[in-house]
Amino acid sequence: MAQVSNILKRDMDLFLNDLGSECKVSNTSSDINLVADFTEYNPLHNGHFHCMKTAKHHFPEALFVAIVPGLFERSGRGIPYILPRELRAEIAISVGADIVVEGPPMGIMGSGQYSLCLCKMFKALNTSYIPRGYKKVDGIDEILKRVNLGHHVAPKPYKIVDKTTGEIILKGKLEEDNYVITSFANSLSKIGFDFKDKFLFVERIGGVSGTLIRQSILEDNFNDVLDMMPSKTVEVLKDAIRNDDIIYGIRDTDSILNTANNYSYSQLANLNLFNDNLAKNIIDNRPFVNLDDLRESILHGFSTHFKERILSILEIPIEKNKISEYIDRYPSNIRILGYKNKECLETFKQKINNENISLFNDCLKDY
């Protein structure tokens, strides 16, 4: 618990620093291709490794940059990661990434918000290619074709639309990996980034489940999933288990309950992802003595993981207007979590168009 609390306090300082920073656009230019892969690596498994190897095979001379979220160590599901980001970066570098940069704070944002941040990062990195895993389902081939034509494909309730042509190209919902592709196409279109022929779509391999790996660690049957991961992931996870550094599912319960029990109606309603009904429901049902009771008072939202994201917001209470300002400025700073060697680091600095670059470990010297 103390480790998680310290991470949250440290990362709030980094968030506020980013919020107060202006993006300094660089005039540097470079002919090198840069492959930018966004993946949570929670943990890095054989599916991620397959996507990385495929991209490096297609673009062997390119700089491979992994975008690994990020502040507050909360996943897109709103749940604490297995490992802090510096360890996830260490694994990524060991299996082939040249640079790992910190991505946005996913767990305290809506999916559209962090998709927009990630796409702004792609733009800041002057990204040449974006590898993306997908699951083979009916209708996905047409979606992938239109995305690589540079069309403004967008997810809507129970349908996928091509806003470039005005057509509905799929009726129904997409699973997570496939949904992310359409979300990226939508966000990249909104920020004016030309993504025609930039995506490398890699079909997901079977026999790998991040969910099963995470559950196996919690249930102490880790040996059952060893063949789903590269040896470096296994090594780091075993060390983390021995050293009690696994943070998966561990929350700062006192902070969550303090916010839920003591914030006023207006303070709750102004938090990111909150609305008036949710704030009122929490007020009407408090005080809360445990997280299970609090979960019952969180109304169902727009996603399967809405309740966990709300817990993260209560844990890290940030107002809507601050999140909006953060997104507007993103990425005001680019923090490097790891790099292969100094040559890769210098090549990276010459490629991107943001002068505010720092090494994550240097940012921690005051903590």
Side-chain angles (χ1 to χ4, degrees):
M1 179 71 77
Q3 180 189 11
V4 169
S5 179
N6 290 337
I7 287 173
L8 296 180
K9 290 174 183 176
R10 177 201 71 194
D11 284 0
M12 180 61 82
D13 288 343
L14 293 175
F15 175 87
L16 294 174
N17 178 71
D18 291 347
L19 192 62
S21 300
E22 294 289 347
C23 176
K24 294 181 181 178
V25 177
S26 171
N27 293 320
T28 59
S29 61
S30 171
D31 293 333
I32 186 126
N33 285 327
L34 185 150
V35 176
D37 180 27
F38 157 70
T39 316
E40 294 180 276
Y41 293 151
N42 187 36
L44 192 154
H45 54 58
N46 289 340
H48 301 131
F49 191 31
H50 171 69
C51 188
M52 180 189 292
K53 287 188 295 184
T54 302
K56 290 172 71 69
H57 172 75
H58 276 78
F59 313 110
E61 303 302 318
L63 193 72
F64 189 98
V65 178
I67 304 170
V68 173
L71 287 169
F72 307 118
E73 302 294 356
R74 299 294 178 262
S75 73
R77 296 173 174 85
I79 299 170
Y81 287 118
I82 288 181
L83 297 169
R85 55 194 181 277
E86 57 267 35
L87 292 181
R88 288 182 282 139
E90 177 188 327
I91 297 170
I93 293 293
S94 74
V95 300
D98 297 308
I99 301 285
V100 181
V101 299
E102 181 185 273
M106 296 181 66
I108 61 167
M109 290 180 167
S111 58
Q113 291 176 321
Y114 66 72
S115 175
L116 185 58
C117 283
L118 286 165
C119 290
K120 292 179 78 171
M121 178 64 84
F122 289 141
K123 187 174 183 179
L125 297 179
N126 285 324
T127 300
S128 308
Y129 301 105
I130 303 169
R132 192 69 219 168
Y134 74 98
K135 186 175 182 179
K136 188 77 170 177
V137 296
D138 289 343
I140 192 63
D141 287 341
E142 182 64 22
I143 291 172
L144 301 186
K145 183 183 82 172
R146 296 195 185 216
V147 169
N148 257 344
L149 287 171
H151 286 206
H152 185 171
V153 175
K156 299 292 182 181
Y158 302 103
K159 61 185 177 183
I160 305 297
V161 301
D162 183 336
K163 298 182 76 171
T164 300
T165 65
E167 299 170 86
I168 296 174
I169 52 177
L170 181 73
K171 292 183 178 180
K173 298 174 69 174
L174 288 174
E175 292 188 19
E176 191 166 313
D177 284 353
N178 294 345
Y179 176 88
V180 167
I181 292 169
T182 60
S183 183
F184 279 173
N186 187 38
S187 296
L188 288 168
S189 298
K190 287 180 177 179
I191 65 174
F193 185 74
D194 182 7
F195 54 92
K196 184 176 185 293
D197 295 327
K198 287 187 180 292
F199 277 93
L200 172 66
F201 296 116
V202 181
E203 187 173 354
R204 281 177 51 181
I205 61 173
V208 179
S209 169
T211 300
L212 185 57
I213 293 170
R214 293 187 288 273
Q215 193 62 34
S216 296
I217 291 173
L218 283 184
E219 295 174 355
D220 198 24
N221 56 357
F222 183 50
N223 289 335
D224 294 346
V225 294
L226 296 181
D227 60 350
M228 294 185 182
M229 296 170 283
S231 59
K232 181 62 177 181
T233 300
V234 173
E235 174 191 326
V236 172
L237 281 172
K238 285 184 174 180
D239 283 345
I241 291 170
R242 278 195 298 269
N243 298 326
D244 201 26
D245 286 336
I246 298 292
I247 60 174
Y248 183 56
I250 301 175
R251 291 192 177 276
D252 187 344
T253 303
D254 290 344
S255 292
I256 295 172
L257 294 178
N258 179 66
T259 304
N261 287 329
N262 295 307
Y263 266 43
S264 68
Y265 169 80
S266 61
Q267 285 177 310
L268 287 173
N270 284 328
L271 293 177
N272 196 44
L273 305 185
F274 269 68
N275 57 34
D276 292 346
N277 288 337
L278 177 55
K280 182 177 185 301
N281 211 55
I282 288 177
I283 295 283
D284 289 347
N285 287 282
R286 68 189 191 186
F288 304 101
V289 295
N290 58 61
L291 295 191
D292 288 338
D293 288 344
L294 176 55
R295 279 190 182 93
E296 291 299 314
S297 294
I298 299 174
L299 303 173
H300 291 286
F302 50 80
S303 75
T304 308
H305 312 293
F306 182 71
K307 290 193 176 190
E308 293 300 326
R309 287 184 187 170
I310 292 301
L311 287 182
S312 290
I313 287 291
L314 292 169
E315 191 175 29
I316 311 145
I318 301 177
E319 297 88 349
K320 294 182 179 74
N321 62 334
K322 286 187 178 180
I323 291 291
S324 295
E325 186 178 350
Y326 179 84
I327 294 170
D328 287 343
R329 294 171 180 262
Y330 192 84
S332 58
N333 291 290
I334 294 180
R335 277 188 289 274
I336 298 173
L337 300 175
Y339 57 94
K340 182 178 178 181
N341 53 47
K342 289 186 177 179
E343 181 181 357
C344 289
L345 181 59
E346 290 307 311
T347 302
F348 174 76
K349 289 179 178 179
Q350 292 169 17
K351 176 67 177 178
I352 67 173
N353 64 5
N354 190 321
E355 292 183 3
N356 292 349
I357 305 171
S358 59
L359 299 179
F360 179 67
N361 287 334
D362 288 345
C363 297
L364 305 186
K365 288 180 179 177
D366 295 332
Y367 293 94

PDB file of all heavy atoms in Angstrom, residues 48-59:
ATOM      1  N   HIS A  48       2.522  -9.420 -27.777  1.00  0.00           N
ATOM      2  CA  HIS A  48       3.226  -8.145 -27.959  1.00  0.00           C
ATOM      3  C   HIS A  48       4.556  -8.357 -28.679  1.00  0.00           C
ATOM      4  O   HIS A  48       4.933  -7.595 -29.574  1.00  0.00           O
ATOM      5  CB  HIS A  48       3.512  -7.485 -26.599  1.00  0.00           C
ATOM      6  CG  HIS A  48       2.297  -7.210 -25.783  1.00  0.00           C
ATOM      7  ND1 HIS A  48       2.202  -7.570 -24.457  1.00  0.00           N
ATOM      8  CD2 HIS A  48       1.123  -6.618 -26.086  1.00  0.00           C
ATOM      9  CE1 HIS A  48       1.032  -7.199 -23.978  1.00  0.00           C
ATOM     10  NE2 HIS A  48       0.351  -6.627 -24.949  1.00  0.00           N
ATOM     11  N   PHE A  49       5.261  -9.404 -28.259  1.00  0.00           N
ATOM     12  CA  PHE A  49       6.571  -9.706 -28.834  1.00  0.00           C
ATOM     13  C   PHE A  49       6.439 -10.031 -30.322  1.00  0.00           C
ATOM     14  O   PHE A  49       7.257  -9.600 -31.153  1.00  0.00           O
ATOM     15  CB  PHE A  49       7.187 -10.877 -28.068  1.00  0.00           C
ATOM     16  CG  PHE A  49       8.639 -11.132 -28.363  1.00  0.00           C
ATOM     17  CD1 PHE A  49       9.506 -10.104 -28.707  1.00  0.00           C
ATOM     18  CD2 PHE A  49       9.157 -12.426 -28.299  1.00  0.00           C
ATOM     19  CE1 PHE A  49      10.845 -10.348 -28.979  1.00  0.00           C
ATOM     20  CE2 PHE A  49      10.491 -12.687 -28.565  1.00  0.00           C
ATOM     21  CZ  PHE A  49      11.337 -11.641 -28.914  1.00  0.00           C
ATOM     22  N   HIS A  50       5.396 -10.767 -30.685  1.00  0.00           N
ATOM     23  CA  HIS A  50       5.144 -11.097 -32.093  1.00  0.00           C
ATOM     24  C   HIS A  50       4.900  -9.832 -32.912  1.00  0.00           C
ATOM     25  O   HIS A  50       5.426  -9.689 -34.021  1.00  0.00           O
ATOM     26  CB  HIS A  50       3.937 -12.033 -32.191  1.00  0.00           C
ATOM     27  CG  HIS A  50       3.455 -12.266 -33.587  1.00  0.00           C
ATOM     28  ND1 HIS A  50       4.184 -12.978 -34.522  1.00  0.00           N
ATOM     29  CD2 HIS A  50       2.312 -11.862 -34.218  1.00  0.00           C
ATOM     30  CE1 HIS A  50       3.516 -13.020 -35.660  1.00  0.00           C
ATOM     31  NE2 HIS A  50       2.386 -12.357 -35.506  1.00  0.00           N
ATOM     32  N   CYS A  51       4.112  -8.910 -32.372  1.00  0.00           N
ATOM     33  CA  CYS A  51       3.828  -7.652 -33.081  1.00  0.00           C
ATOM     34  C   CYS A  51       5.112  -6.838 -33.258  1.00  0.00           C
ATOM     35  O   CYS A  51       5.368  -6.288 -34.332  1.00  0.00           O
ATOM     36  CB  CYS A  51       2.784  -6.853 -32.305  1.00  0.00           C
ATOM     37  SG  CYS A  51       2.168  -5.387 -33.181  1.00  0.00           S
ATOM     38  N   MET A  52       5.940  -6.778 -32.208  1.00  0.00           N
ATOM     39  CA  MET A  52       7.202  -6.043 -32.293  1.00  0.00           C
ATOM     40  C   MET A  52       8.120  -6.673 -33.336  1.00  0.00           C
ATOM     41  O   MET A  52       8.702  -5.961 -34.176  1.00  0.00           O
ATOM     42  CB  MET A  52       7.895  -6.023 -30.928  1.00  0.00           C
ATOM     43  CG  MET A  52       9.230  -5.268 -30.925  1.00  0.00           C
ATOM     44  SD  MET A  52      10.167  -5.457 -29.373  1.00  0.00           S
ATOM     45  CE  MET A  52       9.140  -4.572 -28.211  1.00  0.00           C
ATOM     46  N   LYS A  53       8.270  -7.993 -33.288  1.00  0.00           N
ATOM     47  CA  LYS A  53       9.160  -8.669 -34.237  1.00  0.00           C
ATOM     48  C   LYS A  53       8.683  -8.490 -35.677  1.00  0.00           C
ATOM     49  O   LYS A  53       9.497  -8.306 -36.592  1.00  0.00           O
ATOM     50  CB  LYS A  53       9.250 -10.165 -33.895  1.00  0.00           C
ATOM     51  CG  LYS A  53      10.058 -10.477 -32.645  1.00  0.00           C
ATOM     52  CD  LYS A  53      10.282 -11.966 -32.477  1.00  0.00           C
ATOM     53  CE  LYS A  53       9.001 -12.715 -32.246  1.00  0.00           C
ATOM     54  NZ  LYS A  53       9.245 -14.159 -31.978  1.00  0.00           N
ATOM     55  N   THR A  54       7.368  -8.525 -35.883  1.00  0.00           N
ATOM     56  CA  THR A  54       6.818  -8.337 -37.227  1.00  0.00           C
ATOM     57  C   THR A  54       7.133  -6.939 -37.744  1.00  0.00           C
ATOM     58  O   THR A  54       7.538  -6.758 -38.902  1.00  0.00           O
ATOM     59  CB  THR A  54       5.297  -8.575 -37.220  1.00  0.00           C
ATOM     60  OG1 THR A  54       5.026  -9.897 -36.744  1.00  0.00           O
ATOM     61  CG2 THR A  54       4.709  -8.405 -38.612  1.00  0.00           C
ATOM     62  N   ALA A  55       6.955  -5.933 -36.896  1.00  0.00           N
ATOM     63  CA  ALA A  55       7.247  -4.555 -37.301  1.00  0.00           C
ATOM     64  C   ALA A  55       8.727  -4.367 -37.599  1.00  0.00           C
ATOM     65  O   ALA A  55       9.107  -3.709 -38.586  1.00  0.00           O
ATOM     66  CB  ALA A  55       6.797  -3.589 -36.208  1.00  0.00           C
ATOM     67  N   LYS A  56       9.577  -4.945 -36.768  1.00  0.00           N
ATOM     68  CA  LYS A  56      11.022  -4.804 -36.984  1.00  0.00           C
ATOM     69  C   LYS A  56      11.463  -5.552 -38.248  1.00  0.00           C
ATOM     70  O   LYS A  56      12.413  -5.143 -38.925  1.00  0.00           O
ATOM     71  CB  LYS A  56      11.790  -5.310 -35.753  1.00  0.00           C
ATOM     72  CG  LYS A  56      11.637  -4.391 -34.540  1.00  0.00           C
ATOM     73  CD  LYS A  56      12.237  -4.995 -33.273  1.00  0.00           C
ATOM     74  CE  LYS A  56      13.746  -5.015 -33.317  1.00  0.00           C
ATOM     75  NZ  LYS A  56      14.341  -3.670 -33.234  1.00  0.00           N
ATOM     76  N   HIS A  57      10.757  -6.631 -38.586  1.00  0.00           N
ATOM     77  CA  HIS A  57      11.055  -7.351 -39.832  1.00  0.00           C
ATOM     78  C   HIS A  57      10.673  -6.504 -41.050  1.00  0.00           C
ATOM     79  O   HIS A  57      11.420  -6.457 -42.039  1.00  0.00           O
ATOM     80  CB  HIS A  57      10.297  -8.681 -39.844  1.00  0.00           C
ATOM     81  CG  HIS A  57      10.379  -9.406 -41.153  1.00  0.00           C
ATOM     82  ND1 HIS A  57      11.521 -10.081 -41.560  1.00  0.00           N
ATOM     83  CD2 HIS A  57       9.461  -9.564 -42.162  1.00  0.00           C
ATOM     84  CE1 HIS A  57      11.307 -10.614 -42.756  1.00  0.00           C
ATOM     85  NE2 HIS A  57      10.072 -10.316 -43.137  1.00  0.00           N
ATOM     86  N   HIS A  58       9.533  -5.834 -40.982  1.00  0.00           N
ATOM     87  CA  HIS A  58       9.072  -5.013 -42.099  1.00  0.00           C
ATOM     88  C   HIS A  58       9.898  -3.741 -42.258  1.00  0.00           C
ATOM     89  O   HIS A  58      10.103  -3.258 -43.378  1.00  0.00           O
ATOM     90  CB  HIS A  58       7.598  -4.642 -41.915  1.00  0.00           C
ATOM     91  CG  HIS A  58       6.639  -5.688 -42.380  1.00  0.00           C
ATOM     92  ND1 HIS A  58       6.358  -6.825 -41.649  1.00  0.00           N
ATOM     93  CD2 HIS A  58       5.898  -5.776 -43.519  1.00  0.00           C
ATOM     94  CE1 HIS A  58       5.483  -7.565 -42.309  1.00  0.00           C
ATOM     95  NE2 HIS A  58       5.178  -6.953 -43.450  1.00  0.00           N
ATOM     96  N   PHE A  59      10.361  -3.185 -41.145  1.00  0.00           N
ATOM     97  CA  PHE A  59      11.089  -1.908 -41.172  1.00  0.00           C
ATOM     98  C   PHE A  59      12.387  -2.055 -40.377  1.00  0.00           C
ATOM     99  O   PHE A  59      12.552  -1.460 -39.300  1.00  0.00           O
ATOM    100  CB  PHE A  59      10.220  -0.789 -40.587  1.00  0.00           C
ATOM    101  CG  PHE A  59       8.818  -0.771 -41.120  1.00  0.00           C
ATOM    102  CD1 PHE A  59       7.744  -1.120 -40.301  1.00  0.00           C
ATOM    103  CD2 PHE A  59       8.557  -0.444 -42.439  1.00  0.00           C
ATOM    104  CE1 PHE A  59       6.448  -1.111 -40.777  1.00  0.00           C
ATOM    105  CE2 PHE A  59       7.257  -0.437 -42.942  1.00  0.00           C
ATOM    106  CZ  PHE A  59       6.196  -0.772 -42.111  1.00  0.00           C
TER     107      PHE A  59
END
